Amino acid sequence: MAQSLKDKTPPHDDELEQAALGSLLTDHETVSAAIQMHLRAEDFYSRANIRIYEAIRSLDARGKRPDIQTVVQELKQMGKLDEAGGASYVSSLTTVIPSSANIDYYAQMVKNYSLKRSLLKVASGISINAYDESKEAAEVLEDVQRSIFELSDDRQVFSSRKIGEVLKETISILDNVMKSKNPITGISSGFEKLDQLTSGFQRDEFIIIGARPSVGKTALALNMASHMAFHLKIPTAFFSLEMSDIALVQRLISSEAMVQAQNLRSGFLSTGDYKKIIDVMSLIYEAPFHIIDMPNMKLMDLRTQARKLRSQQQVQIIFVDYLGLIGSENNRLQRFEQISEISRSLKSLARELHIPVVVLCQLNRDAQFEVPTLANLRDSGSIEQDADLVLFLNRPQPKKNKNEKEEEKPAVSDVIPTDLIIAKQRNGPIGEVKLQLVAKYAKFAPLAKENS
């Protein structure tokens, strides 16, 4: 009869744990390598090994070299020597390793077993909560998602490099830019003046496009994304939490073919319009444009899909429409705390995937009749802090004539002047780009006088 899961010993390898600790006691340089790999005391299974690693970390943090003698003394002062197996066990650790050069392998395997134990703990919790009649299935699912997210987020490995190594890479990038004579070092947005001010959307950057409702932030994002995917052939992902994928494609066709969106939806198309649509379809059919249509998307879902698109489709930029619709795994937090968590996570996602992450964001009501500022970012001040680049769309308010009655509203023009404001740029200037929105095509273009 097969052994039941509850009778099985949790995944671990005593010899690997001892080899890792032996390496740390033999060669002080390996301590830095273990720390860099984010090896933690709780990654060890044996209580004795946990205590020894705690003593090694404690000594290293104070600038002292951990070896058999200093670790034994440290454990004595901590009152943990007996828990650590005594001085004889500590001494024995240096005899079980063929070479301390294998510390990366030892540490990685210890972490691997630790992760498996953590997953088993989560699985056990799922089983217990699933049988709990007082909990709804949706609540159990959210707990699971949060637990898995915390596991993956907590185990991100950080790295460090000497400044000389970074300098070599920096000079190489500078040389390539000088040889190409192309000032756009990132991904072109399709708007020349914006690219001049930003040098394009840069990798690792968390970018915010903010606007009041119905000012055109989705249209602007689609214009940018279509330029990148259709014309530059850059693999692009568009996460749509508000509009369906069909509605998005209709907008893209309308914008690219310069066919009125209303006619496209109603089917009242002239022969000329239909030909334009056919021509555009041949352009976009094979384009590396990936639409993720997932209403009620949770943060963990977004991160998972983003990683998959990056690894499988080599996506080089991600757009998210929009931040306020991303759900948090922790509904117990207040909304501004959830937004802060989401903002920080998207910032780290850009760094992890090494690509720009462009997120649309609504502005609060205070920005309704004023030029928007960073203070108008809705729900959380952490968005302003986390973002590397913040762009605002603003429609300048027409000056009122003295004789104009309050209730009279100016007629809506088919071409709407719109300011694109660079309110924050961590590594460049702030400024303003004059655009015009051709409303019937949902297409932005530079203002005519800006081109002259």
Side-chain angles (χ1 to χ4, degrees), residues 114-331:
S114 173
L115 179 56
K116 286 185 175 182
R117 294 195 301 273
S118 297
L119 288 169
L120 282 173
K121 186 176 179 181
V122 171
S124 176
I126 294 171
S127 179
I128 293 170
N129 290 331
Y131 279 108
D132 189 342
E133 296 291 340
S134 66
K135 290 191 174 183
E136 294 290 333
E139 184 182 355
V140 175
L141 180 60
E142 286 187 2
D143 287 342
V144 172
Q145 291 173 331
R146 184 171 67 256
S147 298
I148 297 295
F149 173 75
E150 287 172 353
L151 272 181
S152 61
D153 216 40
D154 189 44
R155 291 174 181 271
Q156 288 187 16
V157 177
F158 63 90
S159 62
S160 66
R161 291 192 291 169
K162 290 180 68 174
I163 191 168
E165 296 175 38
V166 182
L167 185 61
K168 286 180 183 178
E169 187 175 334
T170 304
I171 292 172
S172 176
I173 292 171
L174 183 59
D175 283 343
N176 290 334
V177 171
M178 290 176 67
K179 288 175 183 175
S180 69
K181 300 189 183 300
N182 183 358
I184 310 305
T185 57
I187 299 175
S188 170
S189 67
F191 298 96
E192 185 178 356
K193 186 171 181 183
L194 178 62
D195 289 339
Q196 289 172 357
L197 291 169
T198 63
S199 297
F201 289 168
Q202 304 295 319
R203 63 187 186 181
D204 299 340
E205 286 196 342
F206 176 41
I207 299 164
I208 290 289
I209 298 178
R212 299 183 297 276
S214 302
V215 173
K217 58 183 178 295
T218 300
L220 180 67
L222 282 174
N223 290 173
M224 292 176 172
S226 62
H227 170 75
M228 295 165 186
F230 301 163
H231 303 284
L232 302 181
K233 305 302 180 184
I234 293 172
T236 302
F238 200 100
F239 285 76
S240 179
L241 284 72
E242 187 173 35
M243 298 173 61
S244 70
D245 50 8
I246 297 293
L248 274 181
V249 171
Q250 287 179 338
R251 272 205 179 197
L252 288 167
I253 292 171
S254 171
S255 178
E256 285 294 315
M258 302 292 276
V259 172
Q260 289 194 42
Q262 180 60 35
N263 292 349
L264 194 63
R265 286 192 296 268
S266 65
F268 290 106
L269 298 167
S270 66
T271 304
D273 285 344
Y274 193 73
K275 185 179 183 305
K276 288 180 185 177
I277 292 170
I278 296 299
D279 290 342
V280 162
M281 284 184 175
S282 65
L283 168 71
I284 69 178
Y285 184 78
E286 295 292 342
F289 194 109
H290 305 273
I291 299 174
I292 302 87
D293 175 9
M294 189 183 291
N296 305 314
M297 179 180 281
K298 298 287 187 181
L299 176 60
M300 190 183 75
D301 299 327
L302 192 155
R303 288 173 64 99
T304 300
Q305 288 297 322
R307 290 189 182 110
K308 187 183 297 184
L309 286 161
R310 178 64 171 149
S311 63
Q312 296 180 2
Q313 306 297 335
Q314 291 75 54
V315 159
Q316 294 184 36
I317 186 167
I318 287 173
F319 289 81
V320 181
D321 184 14
Y322 63 93
L323 188 143
L325 294 180
I326 301 172
S328 169
E329 276 71 28
N330 192 352
N331 285 335

Side-chain angles (χ1 to χ4, degrees), residues 10 35 43 76 97 99 109 143 186 230 282 287 289 298 318 338 375 382 407 440:
I35 294 172
D43 288 329
K76 282 181 181 178
I97 56 164
S99 171
M109 291 305 295
D143 287 342
F230 301 163
S282 65
F289 194 109
K298 298 287 187 181
I318 287 173
Q338 293 179 14
S382 69
E407 63 272 11
K440 61 183 178 181

